[in-house]
Amino acid sequence: MIDIQSFSFTYKNEAEPALRDVSISVPEGGFLGIIGPAGAGKTTLARAVCGIIPHHYPGDYYGRISVGGLDPVEASLTDLSRLVGLVFQDVDSQIISTMVEDEILYGLENFGIPHAEIPERIRLALAQAGIADLQDRTVASLSGGQRQKVAIASILALRPRVLVLDEPTGELDPVSSRQVFSLLKQLRKEHGVTVIVIEQKIMLLCEFAEQLAVLDHGAVLRQGPTREVLAHAEELLALGVNCPRVTTLSRLLSRRLGRELPVCVNLEEAEETARRLMT
Ligand SMILES: Nc1ncnc2c1ncn2[C@@H]1O[C@H](COP(=O)(O)OP(=O)(O)O)[C@@H](O)[C@H]1O
Ligand SMILES: [Mg+2]
């Protein structure tokens, strides 16, 4: 569904490339997590996948990207936005309306969704984002977390086949963060939606993502199945990227005991490993 080949990008008037020779592919219905330190190029990659690079951000562009068969350079932003929905890292730059309902409505009207369908789309998107009760509120009266959910709902209402979420839980508490990830899982399962999430909450990300890509200085340092990437916990920690605590602990124990223990990515696996060590 998403195929990025040797992609490099340098923002206009910048000396250093923000992305260097990035090659990543995500199958239809796949779930890719992107991690890396600040300034690694994660947001730039999200912008390139949904076409706002190069359409809104000029610069030097090399390599090839294909999203659902569309080339973000050649396709119009209108066609791209029907296919790919991006939830911005900075939600306040995404939200343009004064009222919550208008924010959801705006995209639907732009897409020419038949009027008869609109109320149900709004209702469902708000319910999926867990904010059915906020429909008649002003955006200004909401907390940061509630605004984040409005931004997510406004994208969900458009029902894109590809969802790119740039740190979508930055303002959310643990319960709401998990709800967002559970919803993404459901959208994949029931509708084959392809998901890319950039996320700092690594434990949560690792529980849901099949594949991880680690970016550093604009390049892919490592990518592969989540568990394989996490096996390099020391490398991630050296970059300043958190690992799930149970993963770090299992790697540390592996080294201390001088014997290869399984890579634990959740509490159940850590418990199982601990039990085996004790018997
Ligand atoms: N609009 C922009 N114009 C110029 N440089 C930018 C712009 N956005 C990001 N950059 C630069 O590109 C690099 C990668 O940034 P970004 O993609 O935001 O990283 P991340 O999301 O991983 O923190 C950084 O060096 C950053 O300063
Ligand atoms: Mg970013």
Side-chain angles (χ1 to χ4, degrees), residues 170-183:
E171 302 268 351
L172 301 185
D173 59 52
V175 172
S176 300
S177 300
R178 176 164 287 277
Q179 282 165 352
V180 169
F181 275 87
S182 301
L183 172 65

mmCIF file with all atom_site columns, all heavy atoms in Angstrom, residues 170-183:
data_model
loop_
_atom_site.group_PDB
_atom_site.id
_atom_site.type_symbol
_atom_site.label_atom_id
_atom_site.label_alt_id
_atom_site.label_comp_id
_atom_site.label_asym_id
_atom_site.label_entity_id
_atom_site.label_seq_id
_atom_site.pdbx_PDB_ins_code
_atom_site.Cartn_x
_atom_site.Cartn_y
_atom_site.Cartn_z
_atom_site.occupancy
_atom_site.B_iso_or_equiv
_atom_site.pdbx_formal_charge
_atom_site.auth_seq_id
_atom_site.auth_comp_id
_atom_site.auth_asym_id
_atom_site.auth_atom_id
_atom_site.pdbx_PDB_model_num
ATOM 1   N N   . GLY A 1 170 ? 0.040   12.551 22.345 1.00 0.00 ? 170 GLY A N   1
ATOM 2   C CA  . GLY A 1 170 ? 0.907   13.436 23.123 1.00 0.00 ? 170 GLY A CA  1
ATOM 3   C C   . GLY A 1 170 ? 0.195   14.137 24.278 1.00 0.00 ? 170 GLY A C   1
ATOM 4   O O   . GLY A 1 170 ? 0.778   14.378 25.328 1.00 0.00 ? 170 GLY A O   1
ATOM 5   N N   . GLU A 1 171 ? -1.083  14.459 24.064 1.00 0.00 ? 171 GLU A N   1
ATOM 6   C CA  . GLU A 1 171 ? -1.833  15.209 25.087 1.00 0.00 ? 171 GLU A CA  1
ATOM 7   C C   . GLU A 1 171 ? -2.811  14.295 25.826 1.00 0.00 ? 171 GLU A C   1
ATOM 8   O O   . GLU A 1 171 ? -3.637  14.773 26.598 1.00 0.00 ? 171 GLU A O   1
ATOM 9   C CB  . GLU A 1 171 ? -2.650  16.316 24.421 1.00 0.00 ? 171 GLU A CB  1
ATOM 10  C CG  . GLU A 1 171 ? -1.834  17.312 23.619 1.00 0.00 ? 171 GLU A CG  1
ATOM 11  C CD  . GLU A 1 171 ? -1.414  18.509 24.457 1.00 0.00 ? 171 GLU A CD  1
ATOM 12  O OE1 . GLU A 1 171 ? -1.911  18.631 25.589 1.00 0.00 ? 171 GLU A OE1 1
ATOM 13  O OE2 . GLU A 1 171 ? -0.588  19.292 23.976 1.00 0.00 ? 171 GLU A OE2 1
ATOM 14  N N   . LEU A 1 172 ? -2.756  12.992 25.530 1.00 0.00 ? 172 LEU A N   1
ATOM 15  C CA  . LEU A 1 172 ? -3.792  12.113 26.094 1.00 0.00 ? 172 LEU A CA  1
ATOM 16  C C   . LEU A 1 172 ? -3.300  11.339 27.310 1.00 0.00 ? 172 LEU A C   1
ATOM 17  O O   . LEU A 1 172 ? -2.125  10.995 27.415 1.00 0.00 ? 172 LEU A O   1
ATOM 18  C CB  . LEU A 1 172 ? -4.271  11.111 25.031 1.00 0.00 ? 172 LEU A CB  1
ATOM 19  C CG  . LEU A 1 172 ? -4.873  11.701 23.762 1.00 0.00 ? 172 LEU A CG  1
ATOM 20  C CD1 . LEU A 1 172 ? -5.410  10.588 22.867 1.00 0.00 ? 172 LEU A CD1 1
ATOM 21  C CD2 . LEU A 1 172 ? -5.984  12.691 24.078 1.00 0.00 ? 172 LEU A CD2 1
ATOM 22  N N   . ASP A 1 173 ? -4.260  11.043 28.221 1.00 0.00 ? 173 ASP A N   1
ATOM 23  C CA  . ASP A 1 173 ? -3.933  10.224 29.391 1.00 0.00 ? 173 ASP A CA  1
ATOM 24  C C   . ASP A 1 173 ? -3.809  8.762  28.944 1.00 0.00 ? 173 ASP A C   1
ATOM 25  O O   . ASP A 1 173 ? -4.176  8.420  27.818 1.00 0.00 ? 173 ASP A O   1
ATOM 26  C CB  . ASP A 1 173 ? -5.015  10.406 30.467 1.00 0.00 ? 173 ASP A CB  1
ATOM 27  C CG  . ASP A 1 173 ? -6.383  10.010 29.950 1.00 0.00 ? 173 ASP A CG  1
ATOM 28  O OD1 . ASP A 1 173 ? -6.530  8.887  29.421 1.00 0.00 ? 173 ASP A OD1 1
ATOM 29  O OD2 . ASP A 1 173 ? -7.318  10.822 30.049 1.00 0.00 ? 173 ASP A OD2 1
ATOM 30  N N   . PRO A 1 174 ? -3.302  7.892  29.811 1.00 0.00 ? 174 PRO A N   1
ATOM 31  C CA  . PRO A 1 174 ? -3.080  6.494  29.416 1.00 0.00 ? 174 PRO A CA  1
ATOM 32  C C   . PRO A 1 174 ? -4.341  5.791  28.908 1.00 0.00 ? 174 PRO A C   1
ATOM 33  O O   . PRO A 1 174 ? -4.277  5.033  27.933 1.00 0.00 ? 174 PRO A O   1
ATOM 34  C CB  . PRO A 1 174 ? -2.565  5.834  30.702 1.00 0.00 ? 174 PRO A CB  1
ATOM 35  C CG  . PRO A 1 174 ? -1.937  6.946  31.468 1.00 0.00 ? 174 PRO A CG  1
ATOM 36  C CD  . PRO A 1 174 ? -2.747  8.166  31.159 1.00 0.00 ? 174 PRO A CD  1
ATOM 37  N N   . VAL A 1 175 ? -5.494  6.049  29.531 1.00 0.00 ? 175 VAL A N   1
ATOM 38  C CA  . VAL A 1 175 ? -6.720  5.356  29.109 1.00 0.00 ? 175 VAL A CA  1
ATOM 39  C C   . VAL A 1 175 ? -7.112  5.791  27.696 1.00 0.00 ? 175 VAL A C   1
ATOM 40  O O   . VAL A 1 175 ? -7.376  4.961  26.816 1.00 0.00 ? 175 VAL A O   1
ATOM 41  C CB  . VAL A 1 175 ? -7.873  5.613  30.107 1.00 0.00 ? 175 VAL A CB  1
ATOM 42  C CG1 . VAL A 1 175 ? -9.186  5.061  29.571 1.00 0.00 ? 175 VAL A CG1 1
ATOM 43  C CG2 . VAL A 1 175 ? -7.549  4.991  31.468 1.00 0.00 ? 175 VAL A CG2 1
ATOM 44  N N   . SER A 1 176 ? -7.114  7.091  27.446 1.00 0.00 ? 176 SER A N   1
ATOM 45  C CA  . SER A 1 176 ? -7.473  7.587  26.110 1.00 0.00 ? 176 SER A CA  1
ATOM 46  C C   . SER A 1 176 ? -6.452  7.147  25.066 1.00 0.00 ? 176 SER A C   1
ATOM 47  O O   . SER A 1 176 ? -6.798  6.859  23.921 1.00 0.00 ? 176 SER A O   1
ATOM 48  C CB  . SER A 1 176 ? -7.544  9.112  26.094 1.00 0.00 ? 176 SER A CB  1
ATOM 49  O OG  . SER A 1 176 ? -8.493  9.573  26.998 1.00 0.00 ? 176 SER A OG  1
ATOM 50  N N   . SER A 1 177 ? -5.182  7.105  25.455 1.00 0.00 ? 177 SER A N   1
ATOM 51  C CA  . SER A 1 177 ? -4.140  6.702  24.503 1.00 0.00 ? 177 SER A CA  1
ATOM 52  C C   . SER A 1 177 ? -4.397  5.275  24.039 1.00 0.00 ? 177 SER A C   1
ATOM 53  O O   . SER A 1 177 ? -4.330  4.960  22.853 1.00 0.00 ? 177 SER A O   1
ATOM 54  C CB  . SER A 1 177 ? -2.752  6.758  25.154 1.00 0.00 ? 177 SER A CB  1
ATOM 55  O OG  . SER A 1 177 ? -2.487  8.061  25.595 1.00 0.00 ? 177 SER A OG  1
ATOM 56  N N   . ARG A 1 178 ? -4.718  4.417  24.995 1.00 0.00 ? 178 ARG A N   1
ATOM 57  C CA  . ARG A 1 178 ? -4.989  3.024  24.652 1.00 0.00 ? 178 ARG A CA  1
ATOM 58  C C   . ARG A 1 178 ? -6.231  2.917  23.764 1.00 0.00 ? 178 ARG A C   1
ATOM 59  O O   . ARG A 1 178 ? -6.283  2.111  22.846 1.00 0.00 ? 178 ARG A O   1
ATOM 60  C CB  . ARG A 1 178 ? -5.158  2.195  25.932 1.00 0.00 ? 178 ARG A CB  1
ATOM 61  C CG  . ARG A 1 178 ? -5.545  0.754  25.713 1.00 0.00 ? 178 ARG A CG  1
ATOM 62  C CD  . ARG A 1 178 ? -5.318  -0.087 26.943 1.00 0.00 ? 178 ARG A CD  1
ATOM 63  N NE  . ARG A 1 178 ? -3.899  -0.322 27.166 1.00 0.00 ? 178 ARG A NE  1
ATOM 64  C CZ  . ARG A 1 178 ? -3.208  -1.291 26.545 1.00 0.00 ? 178 ARG A CZ  1
ATOM 65  N NH1 . ARG A 1 178 ? -3.795  -2.105 25.705 1.00 0.00 ? 178 ARG A NH1 1
ATOM 66  N NH2 . ARG A 1 178 ? -1.928  -1.442 26.781 1.00 0.00 ? 178 ARG A NH2 1
ATOM 67  N N   . GLN A 1 179 ? -7.226  3.770  24.038 1.00 0.00 ? 179 GLN A N   1
ATOM 68  C CA  . GLN A 1 179 ? -8.440  3.746  23.207 1.00 0.00 ? 179 GLN A CA  1
ATOM 69  C C   . GLN A 1 179 ? -8.108  4.088  21.749 1.00 0.00 ? 179 GLN A C   1
ATOM 70  O O   . GLN A 1 179 ? -8.649  3.483  20.822 1.00 0.00 ? 179 GLN A O   1
ATOM 71  C CB  . GLN A 1 179 ? -9.489  4.723  23.750 1.00 0.00 ? 179 GLN A CB  1
ATOM 72  C CG  . GLN A 1 179 ? -10.215 4.161  24.966 1.00 0.00 ? 179 GLN A CG  1
ATOM 73  C CD  . GLN A 1 179 ? -10.986 5.223  25.742 1.00 0.00 ? 179 GLN A CD  1
ATOM 74  O OE1 . GLN A 1 179 ? -10.883 6.417  25.466 1.00 0.00 ? 179 GLN A OE1 1
ATOM 75  N NE2 . GLN A 1 179 ? -11.762 4.784  26.720 1.00 0.00 ? 179 GLN A NE2 1
ATOM 76  N N   . VAL A 1 180 ? -7.221  5.052  21.549 1.00 0.00 ? 180 VAL A N   1
ATOM 77  C CA  . VAL A 1 180 ? -6.837  5.418  20.180 1.00 0.00 ? 180 VAL A CA  1
ATOM 78  C C   . VAL A 1 180 ? -6.204  4.216  19.478 1.00 0.00 ? 180 VAL A C   1
ATOM 79  O O   . VAL A 1 180 ? -6.563  3.874  18.348 1.00 0.00 ? 180 VAL A O   1
ATOM 80  C CB  . VAL A 1 180 ? -5.859  6.628  20.179 1.00 0.00 ? 180 VAL A CB  1
ATOM 81  C CG1 . VAL A 1 180 ? -5.242  6.836  18.801 1.00 0.00 ? 180 VAL A CG1 1
ATOM 82  C CG2 . VAL A 1 180 ? -6.572  7.890  20.638 1.00 0.00 ? 180 VAL A CG2 1
ATOM 83  N N   . PHE A 1 181 ? -5.295  3.546  20.162 1.00 0.00 ? 181 PHE A N   1
ATOM 84  C CA  . PHE A 1 181 ? -4.626  2.390  19.559 1.00 0.00 ? 181 PHE A CA  1
ATOM 85  C C   . PHE A 1 181 ? -5.601  1.237  19.306 1.00 0.00 ? 181 PHE A C   1
ATOM 86  O O   . PHE A 1 181 ? -5.506  0.559  18.289 1.00 0.00 ? 181 PHE A O   1
ATOM 87  C CB  . PHE A 1 181 ? -3.435  1.944  20.411 1.00 0.00 ? 181 PHE A CB  1
ATOM 88  C CG  . PHE A 1 181 ? -2.191  2.721  20.103 1.00 0.00 ? 181 PHE A CG  1
ATOM 89  C CD1 . PHE A 1 181 ? -1.932  3.920  20.740 1.00 0.00 ? 181 PHE A CD1 1
ATOM 90  C CD2 . PHE A 1 181 ? -1.297  2.270  19.151 1.00 0.00 ? 181 PHE A CD2 1
ATOM 91  C CE1 . PHE A 1 181 ? -0.792  4.651  20.432 1.00 0.00 ? 181 PHE A CE1 1
ATOM 92  C CE2 . PHE A 1 181 ? -0.156  2.987  18.845 1.00 0.00 ? 181 PHE A CE2 1
ATOM 93  C CZ  . PHE A 1 181 ? 0.094   4.189  19.485 1.00 0.00 ? 181 PHE A CZ  1
ATOM 94  N N   . SER A 1 182 ? -6.538  1.029  20.237 1.00 0.00 ? 182 SER A N   1
ATOM 95  C CA  . SER A 1 182 ? -7.520  -0.039 20.040 1.00 0.00 ? 182 SER A CA  1
ATOM 96  C C   . SER A 1 182 ? -8.391  0.259  18.827 1.00 0.00 ? 182 SER A C   1
ATOM 97  O O   . SER A 1 182 ? -8.747  -0.640 18.059 1.00 0.00 ? 182 SER A O   1
ATOM 98  C CB  . SER A 1 182 ? -8.417  -0.190 21.268 1.00 0.00 ? 182 SER A CB  1
ATOM 99  O OG  . SER A 1 182 ? -7.632  -0.485 22.374 1.00 0.00 ? 182 SER A OG  1
ATOM 100 N N   . LEU A 1 183 ? -8.731  1.530  18.662 1.00 0.00 ? 183 LEU A N   1
ATOM 101 C CA  . LEU A 1 183 ? -9.530  1.918  17.507 1.00 0.00 ? 183 LEU A CA  1
ATOM 102 C C   . LEU A 1 183 ? -8.764  1.659  16.204 1.00 0.00 ? 183 LEU A C   1
ATOM 103 O O   . LEU A 1 183 ? -9.314  1.140  15.226 1.00 0.00 ? 183 LEU A O   1
ATOM 104 C CB  . LEU A 1 183 ? -9.907  3.403  17.620 1.00 0.00 ? 183 LEU A CB  1
ATOM 105 C CG  . LEU A 1 183 ? -10.588 3.987  16.395 1.00 0.00 ? 183 LEU A CG  1
ATOM 106 C CD1 . LEU A 1 183 ? -11.941 3.330  16.165 1.00 0.00 ? 183 LEU A CD1 1
ATOM 107 C CD2 . LEU A 1 183 ? -10.765 5.499  16.556 1.00 0.00 ? 183 LEU A CD2 1
#
